[in-house]
Amino acid sequence: MSTSIELPITGMTCASCANRIERKLNKLDGVQASVNYATEAATVRFDPARVDTDRLLATVFAAGYSAALPTPPSADVPTTDADPDAPLRCRLLVSAALAVPVVVLSMVPALQFDNWQWLALTLASPVAVWGAWPFHRAAVVNARHGASTMDTLVSIGIAAAYLWSLWALFLGDAGMPGMRMSFSLLAPQGSGSDELYLEVASAVTVFLLAGRFAEARAKRRSGAALEALLALGAKDATVLRDGREVPVSIDQLRVGDQFVVRPGEKIATDGVVVNGRSAVDLSMLTGESMPVEVAAGDRVTGATVNVGGRLVVAADRVGAETTLAQLGRLVTAAQSGKAPVQRLADRVSAVFVPVVLGIAVLTLAGWLLATGDVTAAFTAAVAVLVIACPCALGLATPTALLVGTGRGAQLGVLIKGPEVLESTRTVDTVVLDKTGTVTTAQMSVVQVAGHPDTLRLAAAVEAGSEHPIARAVVTAAGTPPAPVDDFANRPGQGVSGRVDGHDVVIGCRADLPPVSGELAAVVRAAEAAGRTAVQVAWDGEVRGVLVVADTVKPTSAGAIRRLRALGLSPVLVTGDNPGAAAAVAREVGLDPDRGEVVAGVLPAGKVDVVARLQAQGRVVAMVGDGVNDAPALAQADLGLAMGSGTDVAIEAGDLTLVRADLDAAVDAIRLSRRTLAVIKGNLFWAFAYNVALVPLAALGFLNPLLAGLAMAASSVLVVTNSLRLRRFQPTR
């Protein structure tokens, strides 16, 4: 039996590091590992009978990196405001302050005074050694383990430029008083003994440190959505103990405890309202700003905010079982995975560094053989080393996944895994469950016919019943019901009682007096549309009819139009009779005559509907409530489970829609496609950058200084492009 664990990894500096650790772990018996450079973590599934955690940690250490077992969250752990990027920022600022005068002196001959080169060496040495130390250290560590990474390219490029300058200063002609040097975009011509590359070593170091700093900041910002989500949980609760209100820490809350939630307070954990009525702000969970009314018997979710009256809630999920914790695990799993497009980037990165080292050697040899010009050969080779670092390639997919899944979590759209992104691109048909997806799954009164007192008298009697139709009638009346005497509930037949001196009987019973005239027409029309006609009789005569139906959600029609705009063909599936199904379909803009409605289908039969569409060559998405639709969700090419983050919904669907709104399905597909487009855009620019500029550098058309700037800029461009997903807006 396998188990899964997430190991935080330290010491990774590029995507090649992640690939190397992943290969080492996957060589172990019974281990499946995925290492994510952006999240700096390894997700490992392993068989404890064949390998233990100590072996996993030792394997990571043997690869030249450090790992640790995950530490459980504790309320006692103090938080710190220390900036984790402070050391890198300090190294960047000091290096930049020293490098600027070196670059200016080297590029502007008018500023070069006698022996300026020795001042340049004094300023450049700390930058090339201390400033670039993270690259040198990583290169040495990997070399000890017989590996090369992107840091190897950077370290060799910086060291070569610096050591060449030392040779030219101490053994060549560059140290002579009166030496002057000009800057050239192309490889300079000459013997090389009077050429310095101190500005290259300094500027490239600063550019790459700036790129690393931007990456670190962006990665933290990318995961900020998830961190903010998990930080929303309440820290304490007010529990009822022997009739007294006792404040306790959230980790002391147990299933079955009843706790009080006052207006303005966060609900401590998932539970059921025992007493009270209030409005609850679900924006944390669903992204919707409109509060939802709750009363006794309604479920509430931890971390949502009580904005109305006082509630007493019985806890039924605590700790790791809460909806909030499940959302966090789901998003973390999605961010730790790899999309199919990322696998290609990983394979390229794994072989890229050795290939580039070979190209650099060939460039050096080719220039020497073709021209005999040492300076030009050296300049071209260093430019190849610097320009070729595929850092942007390693960041292209993980940063977009981090931002996209984090933004989705904020909007109540949970992407189960990165491979889901590929599915949204190919889907052409969307199957919609009716009840609870297109409709509210709650009965409501849609028509009142007959005597003006029909609704008032019916509500008075129905107030004593718990039937869904009874609740719909009472809700429609809106006013407190009149007192009732001699109330009687006859299962399957209806209810009766005495109100204001009238013997009132309500139901669809055969023993009610016959209906005629206008009321009979109302009953026939309701039954033809698949609705329920409730007859209300008093004093021996049917005097009114209430038509009750499961109403369509106000956003469903617009959402179906937007699904069509995304290129999807909607199909409504329901267990209702054809009349009821057709009525709902026409209300939301579907045409039963064009095969867009399948009626009379049992839950098990929905699988057959999906399979039949797939057999026709369609790529099918299924949107359901995640409970009785679970088999169909699993059968579909893309399952969108609409629920409240329940276990069944999370397990059944590829995408979980916490917001019980069909527009959430539109947002899920839009966000997934947008994230995939950003990933592909990132990969294109990363590949195009290397493919276009490496040959230019090898041919001597690119100075190493500009190569370093371009390489750092490419990484920043990829990360910045990914951060655009934070501005994704839901459908309004």
Side-chain angles (χ1 to χ4, degrees):
M1 182 177 180
S2 63
T3 186
S4 183
I5 190 173
E6 183 166 298
L7 303 175
I9 306 290
T10 55
M12 291 194 298
T13 56
C14 62
S16 296
C17 300
N19 295 334
R20 185 159 178 269
I21 298 170
E22 187 173 296
R23 289 197 305 271
K24 292 283 187 182
L25 287 171
N26 283 325
K27 287 181 180 178
L28 297 176
D29 188 27
V31 172
Q32 289 182 324
S34 175
V35 181
N36 194 314
Y37 168 52
T39 59
E40 297 180 334
T43 303
V44 186
R45 181 170 291 277
F46 65 100
D47 184 353
R50 290 188 279 179
V51 63
D52 57 14
T53 54
D54 290 340
R55 180 93 178 276
L56 298 176
L57 298 179
T59 301
V60 175
F61 180 77
Y65 307 89
S66 298
L69 295 177
T71 55
S74 172
D76 299 328
V77 177
T79 58
T80 176
D81 294 329
D83 185 356
D85 297 327
L88 183 56
R89 182 192 293 109
C90 176
R91 193 181 296 270
L92 169 61
L93 293 177
V94 172
S95 297
L98 295 174
V100 168
V102 175
V103 173
V104 172
L105 282 173
S106 301
M107 296 177 63
V108 184
L111 299 178
Q112 294 170 0
F113 50 87
D114 286 347
N115 295 315
W116 69 272
Q117 64 270 41
W118 298 103
L119 174 61
L121 175 65
T122 303
L123 296 174
S125 294
V127 180
V129 178
W130 174 78
W133 180 245
F135 307 111
H136 300 322
R137 181 182 56 209
V140 170
V141 168
N142 283 290
R144 281 208 305 261
H145 292 86
S148 59
T149 67
M150 299 175 204
D151 290 305
T152 305
L153 302 180
V154 174
S155 178
I156 291 176
I158 294 172
Y162 180 69
L163 293 175
W164 178 284
S165 300
L166 290 181
W167 175 83
L169 281 168
F170 289 99
L171 301 177
D173 301 328
M176 300 297 292
M179 191 276 284
R180 299 292 185 268
M181 190 178 77
S182 60
F183 176 76
S184 173
L185 292 177
L186 304 180
Q189 304 297 313
S191 66
S193 62
D194 59 349
E195 291 291 337
L196 297 180
Y197 289 94
L198 293 174
E199 83 282 3
V200 172
S202 302
V204 167
T205 299
V206 171
F207 291 151
L208 298 184
L209 285 175
R212 285 282 170 88
F213 181 72
E215 290 171 16
R217 298 280 292 183
K219 285 194 292 186
R220 289 222 323 278
R221 290 174 63 197
S222 300
L226 177 59
E227 293 174 8
L229 181 73
L230 299 180
L232 287 175
K235 302 298 185 291
D236 47 43
T238 303
V239 179
L240 291 176
R241 298 269 169 84
D242 299 324
R244 294 184 300 111
E245 296 184 4
V246 180
V248 300
S249 172
I250 193 67
D251 56 0
Q252 296 178 321
L253 202 58
R254 300 290 180 263
V255 173
D257 283 348
Q258 292 189 5
F259 58 92
V260 177
V261 189
R262 295 181 179 84
E265 292 182 345
K266 291 181 180 179
I267 296 173
T269 192
D270 297 0
V272 178
V273 177
V274 176
N275 188 21
R277 177 182 291 273
S278 180
V280 176
D281 180 0
L282 302 179
S283 57
M284 177 283 300
L285 190 68
T286 66
E288 288 293 318
S289 58
M290 184 65 67
V292 174
E293 293 290 332
V294 297
D298 291 333
R299 289 195 56 82
V300 290
T301 304
T304 55
V305 179
N306 176 21
V307 296
R310 179 180 183 271
L311 295 175
V312 177
V313 180
D316 63 359
R317 286 184 180 182
V318 297
E321 301 304 316
T322 63
T323 298
L324 186 65
Q326 289 179 348
L327 301 191
R329 286 197 298 271
L330 190 66
V331 177
T332 300
Q335 293 180 343
S336 300
K338 293 186 178 182
V341 288
Q342 172 69 1
R343 297 293 177 183
L344 173 61
D346 288 346
R347 289 195 294 270
V348 171
S349 295
V351 300
F352 199 85
V353 174
V355 169
V356 169
L357 288 173
I359 292 174
V361 171
L362 290 175
T363 299
L364 180 66
W367 275 84
L368 288 174
L369 290 174
T371 67
D373 190 331
V374 177
T375 300
F378 177 78
T379 302
V382 170
V384 168
L385 290 172
V386 173
I387 199 69
C389 296
C391 295
L393 198 61
L395 291 168
T397 299
T399 53
L401 277 177
L402 276 171
V403 182
T405 53
R407 181 59 178 151
Q410 290 179 321
L411 300 175
V413 174
L414 305 177
I415 302 172
K416 193 169 186 179
E419 64 281 353
V420 172
L421 303 176
E422 297 281 359
S423 301
T424 61
R425 180 176 56 86
T426 57
V427 165
D428 55 29
T429 303
V430 56
V431 174
L432 306 171
D433 173 54
K434 181 182 79 72
T435 306
T437 301
V438 175
T439 66
T440 62
Q442 295 179 347
M443 305 297 284
S444 62
V445 176
V446 296
Q447 184 182 359
V448 180
H451 196 282
D453 281 341
T454 297
L455 184 58
R456 183 182 69 84
L457 294 176
V461 179
E462 294 282 22
S465 172
E466 290 299 321
H467 194 279
I469 291 179
R471 289 199 294 270
V473 172
V474 173
T475 300
T479 58
V484 180
D485 296 322
D486 302 328
F487 173 81
N489 187 356
R490 302 180 181 182
Q493 294 184 325
V495 292
S496 62
R498 187 169 181 81
V499 183
D500 295 341
H502 300 289
D503 291 324
V504 181
V505 181
I506 304 171
C508 310
R509 300 181 304 163
D511 59 343
L512 282 171
V515 183
S516 60
E518 179 184 344
L519 294 181
V522 171
V523 172
R524 287 194 298 271
E527 291 174 347
R531 295 173 172 177
T532 301
V534 180
Q535 302 172 33
V536 184
W538 63 90
D539 298 338
E541 182 181 350
V542 175
R543 301 175 184 270
V545 173
L546 304 176
V547 180
V548 181
D550 178 9
T551 55
V552 172
K553 293 179 181 178
T555 58
S556 291
I560 288 174
R561 286 196 303 272
R562 285 182 277 274
L563 287 171
R564 290 189 194 275
L566 291 173
L568 304 177
S569 300
V571 176
L572 184 70
V573 177
T574 177
D576 283 348
N577 62 65
V584 171
R586 292 190 179 93
E587 191 171 346
V588 296
L590 297 177
D591 187 353
D593 298 330
R594 294 174 53 192
E596 294 182 338
V597 178
V598 181
V601 177
L602 296 176
K606 294 177 183 178
V607 178
D608 299 330
V609 174
V610 173
R612 186 166 66 249
L613 290 170
Q614 290 171 327
Q616 296 171 4
R618 301 197 196 184
V619 181
V620 181
M622 169 75 189
V623 185
D625 61 14
V627 181
N628 60 358
D629 297 315
L633 289 167
Q635 171 69 32
D637 300 285
L638 179 68
L640 294 91
M642 183 178 291
S644 299
T646 60
D647 293 332
V648 176
I650 288 175
E651 289 299 324
D654 302 305
L655 289 158
T656 299
L657 312 175
V658 181
R659 196 167 81 235
D661 183 341
L662 195 56
D663 265 334
V666 179
D667 290 338
I669 294 173
R670 286 177 55 232
L671 178 59
S672 296
R673 289 183 176 180
R674 182 83 59 83
T675 304
L676 182 63
V678 168
I679 289 174
K680 291 188 172 182
N682 286 347
L683 288 173
F684 170 79
W685 286 114
F687 275 118
Y689 157 84
N690 287 117
V691 169
L693 295 187
V694 168
L696 289 179
L699 294 172
F701 293 130
L702 198 61
N703 185 283
L705 187 67
L706 297 182
L709 176 61
M711 199 282 287
S714 69
S715 295
V716 175
L717 175 66
V718 161
V719 173
T720 305
N721 188 44
S722 298
L723 288 173
R724 291 190 306 116
L725 287 167
R726 297 179 73 191
R727 300 199 298 269
F728 177 86
Q729 294 300 318
T731 301
R732 297 298 181 188

